[in-house]
């Protein structure tokens, strides 16, 4: 938990974005996870930080392809 908080602080100081967005981004960074969201600003911020992220409203096909799922 402490590592997530440290990551959260770093992202907050670097980006100055909403705490809720930063929490999910910091958690994904800490877990080395992919961020999936319906929030364009959150997806763009995550990508700008080098995190693999998908904005599902426009990138659902790419997301499912990354899982190896075809339509």
């Amino acid at each position: 938990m402490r590592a997530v908080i440290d990551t959260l602080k770093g992202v907050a100081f670097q980006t100055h974005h909403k705490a809720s967005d930063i929490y999910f981004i910091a958690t994904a960074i800490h877990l080395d996870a992919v961020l999936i969201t319906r929030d364009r600003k959150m997806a763009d911020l995550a990508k700008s930080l080098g995190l693999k992220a998908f904005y599902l409203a426009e990138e659902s096909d790419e997301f499912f392809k990354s899982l190896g799922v075809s339509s």
Side-chain angles (χ1 to χ4, degrees):
M1 183 64 170
R2 183 72 194 157
V4 172
I5 292 171
D6 290 342
T7 304
L8 180 95
K9 287 179 186 177
V11 173
F13 284 118
Q14 184 178 356
T15 65
H16 308 289
H17 277 261
K18 295 186 306 187
S20 58
D21 291 357
I22 294 170
Y23 175 79
F24 289 110
I25 292 168
T27 302
I29 290 170
H30 175 72
L31 296 174
D32 194 27
V34 174
L35 181 71
I36 303 160
T37 182
R38 295 272 309 190
D39 183 326
R40 180 189 304 274
K41 288 183 182 180
M42 187 188 309
D44 290 345
L45 174 60
K47 290 174 185 178
S48 76
L49 295 170
L51 186 62
K52 187 169 186 176
F54 293 95
Y55 172 56
L56 282 185
E58 294 177 356
E59 300 174 321
S60 60
D61 290 341
E62 292 87 357
F63 168 67
F64 288 114
K65 284 179 188 174
S66 76
L67 295 177
V69 178
S70 60
S71 54

